Amino acid sequence: MNETEKVTDGDTIKILCPRLILTRREPGLQWLIGSPFSPPFTIISTFKSIHTSSSSSPDFIKESDDLRTLLIKGFDIIGGLIVGGSSSDDGEKNAREVIVWAGKLRELVIGGGGRENLENRELIGAVAGLSGGDVKFFVERRGNVTAVDSVVYEENQEKFVWERGCLFRCNLPIKMPVYLPVKNKADAEKMYLHAAEVVASSFKDPLVTYMVERLSKDISGAPQPVIIRGVDLDFNADLTNIKFVGEKSAQDSDAKKLTCAHFCSKSKSSPALISVENADVIQVSVLFNRSGKSPKSSAPFAEYIPALEEARLFVVDFELEVLCYVAKDLLLMSAISKLIIPALVDQFNSMKKAVLPKLLAQHPQLCSYHFNPPGLLHPITVIYELNYGETELKQVEVRRSLHMRLGLPFDRPLLRIANALDFSMMKDGSGNSSKRKGPSLLKDVHIGIPSSGVSGGVVSLVQGSYEYHHYLQDGFDDSGWGCAYRSLQTIISWFRLQYYTSIDVPSHREIQQALVEIGDKDPSFIGSREWIGAIELSFVLDKLLGVSMQAPQVLTLITDIGGFQFPFVYNFASALRIF
């Protein structure tokens, strides 16, 4: 690198992420996240580096494995911020070092989904002291490191990201059958990896066809689906050099000339509607077209290869679901070839790697979820293993490390399955939900109740929302015996609405079934009209949610909630593990 030069005109750092996140005075390294669809040196978010090698530098292999899954395509690593050190000389030295680290990590992450021209990269190196003060920024362009004094904190950050961009979503279930020798693990792994390579390469098969459509089909005037054929895709184009096309081409009937704006709503005018939850979502479906004409005539054939040792058929299931951030004026074809397909390959490879250690045993149940935690302007993707449930200790540690990486608080659940984005409930351009699941219940009915006027009384209120369940609701006659059942439903609704759980509020029969399964009741109890009390409620809460509550505490809740009074609230969160 050359010596540090004076800042040139036009070198300005634009910061979209909250100032508090960027300037958090915790020693360590943060990766700066930007997008090829934003102006150069635009910082959209930060991820903390949590893996360190023996030489105190980042463990680039572990960091790249994590970020390749976590960071959705359409966002890139554009630099790093290191907190620590005080002198200006140390600051410049640290900035140069963090630029090298960011470049190395960027290359590893991009290498998993299509390499770009890394020689023309533009990276940011930032340093901050533990004692406060401004963050110092340096940028690298064509090998030259430049100090930058012009820093702009953008307002309307979500508008900056989502007015110009949209989301592409593609879900693809894959069943991969493979015969493996059960007594030779090394050969089994080689055969499994070879089969996986064949599947990964098939995404670029010229016979694969991609159908593109707007996710919300009930919006009036939604365009018809568009077919993009694999034979027409260009996988060698450099995304950084792709020329964007204006919206005037969006009405062109040729699929090769359509932009993503063709499927985007034009009705968003209120800044309040510009967010991840209200972003335009474009669905991509993967189809295998085997009906096309072949240039050569051929006859089907079968090849028999006898097994030399004991072998067994294994069918490995992969449930892929990827999100990508895409500029609206990008061609549909470029979005698929440079974002969707690399995202599918990366997620498939991540799941393939997770299955490998348990190849000849019980395969892990891997599911991908998308989250948009507070303070983050874009979604992230997380792959969870759910063989043993969401609260299994391994999953708890995974979520804890994610909270650490994203700078999230440790006193509330933000990355449980219940927190995941639900695309069946995404909103249209007017802010209305595109799909509703049945009639809504009354919420937070204690609000507005006047004070009882009792002298010396203490009023305690619920923190968070709940749904009010009561006798005869949903056409079910439980008059005279369903008080505790309804109270339990109200309690469990609190856990759902605070995102501690994703289970549905149980019916009376499901509550009875839970008590039979733990041995508290006989099978004849299911379908009966028998009462239950505080003891039974504590059993059900423990079984369904893992919540430990004493019977007197539950009894107080029954009295207050079932009796239409709300003077007492138990701290539910203290009874349930946050992660």
Side-chain angles (χ1 to χ4, degrees), residues 112-125:
R115 187 178 301 275
E116 64 170 293
N117 184 1
L118 294 168
E119 294 180 358
N120 295 325
R121 66 190 183 190
E122 296 176 334
L123 295 174
I124 302 172

Side-chain angles (χ1 to χ4, degrees), residues 393-410:
L393 185 59
K394 180 179 178 181
Q395 293 300 101
V396 170
E397 292 306 314
V398 168
R399 285 194 294 273
R400 190 185 304 276
S401 66
L402 287 170
H403 274 244
M404 183 183 302
R405 184 181 289 283
L406 299 173
L408 301 176
F410 290 88

Side-chain angles (χ1 to χ4, degrees), residues 487-497 501 503-506 511 540-541 544-545:
S487 296
L488 179 60
Q489 290 175 333
T490 299
I491 293 170
I492 291 179
S493 77
W494 183 93
F495 285 97
R496 279 180 53 83
L497 295 177
T501 183
I503 69 167
D504 292 329
V505 173
I511 293 170
V540 175
L541 286 170
L544 297 184
L545 301 179

Side-chain angles (χ1 to χ4, degrees), residues 121-234:
R121 66 190 183 190
E122 296 176 334
L123 295 174
I124 302 172
V127 294
L130 291 173
S131 59
D134 294 334
V135 180
K136 295 181 180 180
F137 291 95
F138 301 80
V139 299
E140 181 202 22
R141 179 184 281 125
R142 294 181 294 276
N144 296 323
V145 175
T146 303
V148 177
D149 295 325
S150 178
V151 179
V152 176
Y153 284 85
E154 291 283 350
E155 298 180 357
N156 300 321
Q157 298 97 334
E158 288 188 314
K159 181 177 180 180
F160 187 96
V161 175
W162 296 108
E163 259 194 349
R164 67 184 66 199
C166 59
L167 286 173
F168 267 52
R169 174 176 178 258
C170 180
N171 53 304
L172 177 63
I174 296 176
K175 287 185 176 294
M176 190 180 80
V178 56
Y179 277 95
L180 301 176
V182 296
K183 296 181 179 180
N184 191 328
K185 185 177 180 181
D187 284 351
E189 290 181 351
K190 290 179 182 178
M191 297 175 68
Y192 165 75
L193 293 174
H194 174 71
E197 289 175 4
V198 173
V199 172
S201 64
S202 67
F203 293 125
K204 296 183 179 181
D205 192 312
L207 293 177
V208 176
T209 300
Y210 296 87
M211 183 173 70
V212 186
E213 57 189 331
R214 186 177 176 87
L215 182 64
S216 302
K217 301 182 179 62
D218 57 343
I219 299 177
S220 59
Q224 293 298 312
V226 170
I227 298 298
I228 303 292
R229 304 187 186 280
V231 69
D232 297 324
L233 297 176
D234 182 6

Side-chain angles (χ1 to χ4, degrees), residues 287-501:
L287 310 171
F288 285 89
N289 178 17
R290 298 296 180 186
S291 61
K293 293 183 179 180
S294 175
K296 295 182 179 180
S297 299
S298 59
F301 68 93
E303 184 178 3
Y304 173 68
I305 303 176
L308 301 179
E309 54 185 303
E310 182 183 355
R312 187 158 35 123
L313 174 65
F314 289 84
V315 179
V316 186
D317 290 319
F318 298 95
E319 294 287 338
L320 306 184
E321 182 174 308
V322 299
L323 278 186
C324 298
Y325 173 73
V326 183
K328 293 181 181 180
D329 53 356
L330 184 67
L331 288 173
L332 289 174
M333 296 182 61
S334 298
I336 292 173
S337 63
K338 301 305 296 181
L339 297 170
I340 284 291
I341 293 177
L344 288 171
V345 172
D346 275 357
Q347 190 171 107
F348 177 77
N349 286 334
S350 295
M351 291 188 175
K352 172 196 72 178
K353 186 176 180 180
V355 170
L356 189 58
K358 302 179 180 179
L359 184 58
L360 301 176
Q362 181 183 11
H363 298 157
Q365 180 186 347
L366 302 172
C367 295
S368 59
Y369 297 94
H370 312 293
F371 300 91
N372 185 226
L376 208 62
L377 297 177
H378 58 81
I380 59 170
T381 299
V382 179
I383 298 175
Y384 287 149
E385 180 183 340
L386 301 181
N387 279 46
Y388 306 104
E390 187 179 14
T391 58
E392 196 264 333
L393 185 59
K394 180 179 178 181
Q395 293 300 101
V396 170
E397 292 306 314
V398 168
R399 285 194 294 273
R400 190 185 304 276
S401 66
L402 287 170
H403 274 244
M404 183 183 302
R405 184 181 289 283
L406 299 173
L408 301 176
F410 290 88
D411 61 350
R412 68 201 68 180
L414 296 172
L415 297 175
R416 283 176 171 258
I417 294 174
N419 299 102
L421 293 173
D422 182 1
F423 288 95
S424 67
M425 298 293 289
M426 296 297 281
K427 298 178 181 179
D428 58 28
S430 62
N432 298 318
S433 177
S434 61
K435 180 179 178 183
R436 296 189 182 277
K437 300 178 180 178
S440 59
L441 304 177
L442 292 175
K443 276 186 175 182
D444 307 332
V445 296
H446 67 285
I447 295 176
I449 296 178
S451 172
S452 65
V454 175
S455 177
V458 177
V459 178
S460 299
L461 298 178
V462 175
Q463 291 183 350
S465 292
Y466 59 91
E467 294 173 329
Y468 182 51
H469 292 258
H470 54 78
Y471 288 136
L472 304 177
Q473 200 172 57
D474 300 325
F476 185 78
D477 184 5
D478 60 347
S479 179
W481 63 275
C483 174
Y485 292 89
R486 297 299 186 178
S487 296
L488 179 60
Q489 290 175 333
T490 299
I491 293 170
I492 291 179
S493 77
W494 183 93
F495 285 97
R496 279 180 53 83
L497 295 177
Q498 268 53 244
Y499 304 111
Y500 281 86
T501 183

